Amino acid sequence: MKVPTSVVAAAGLVGGYGVARWTKKRPLGGVVLAAAGAVAARQWRESAGSGAAVALSGAYVAAFAGSHPLAKKVGAWPSVFGVAGAVALASWAVERRA
């Protein structure tokens, strides 16, 4: 059974941050983030096509980048959960239409 892509993407963002924070090794968190992003991109391409995969992958990267300035306003964990939720929702919506 395949894990829904929205869950993979959200888990990559949350898991990447969690691993980086708890291990104090940011590159290790980046590995988690990148691995989940690669799995999600492949699943997006299979379920919704290449154009959707590119757009959702861009949203994934933008969420990662955007979580940093957002964290200065709302805190790290709320920021990460917020952007992860946004990417999950976008993934669900795009795949639902495909």
Side-chain angles (χ1 to χ4, degrees):
M1 188 165 123
K2 185 160 62 167
V3 176
T5 314
S6 57
V7 173
V8 173
L13 289 161
V14 173
Y17 175 69
V19 167
R21 181 177 176 125
W22 290 317
T23 65
K24 300 193 185 324
K25 295 184 185 329
R26 291 179 71 169
L28 190 55
V31 168
V32 172
L33 179 78
V39 170
R42 189 191 77 226
Q43 288 184 210
W44 286 324
R45 188 180 67 246
E46 290 171 0
S47 66
S50 295
V54 169
L56 289 168
S57 294
Y60 184 79
V61 172
F64 167 70
S67 69
H68 292 83
L70 182 59
K72 292 180 182 180
K73 296 181 185 289
V74 300
W77 280 113
S79 173
V80 170
F81 285 128
V83 300
V87 168
L89 182 61
S91 174
W92 174 81
V94 168
E95 286 187 306
R96 184 170 179 243
R97 290 183 185 202

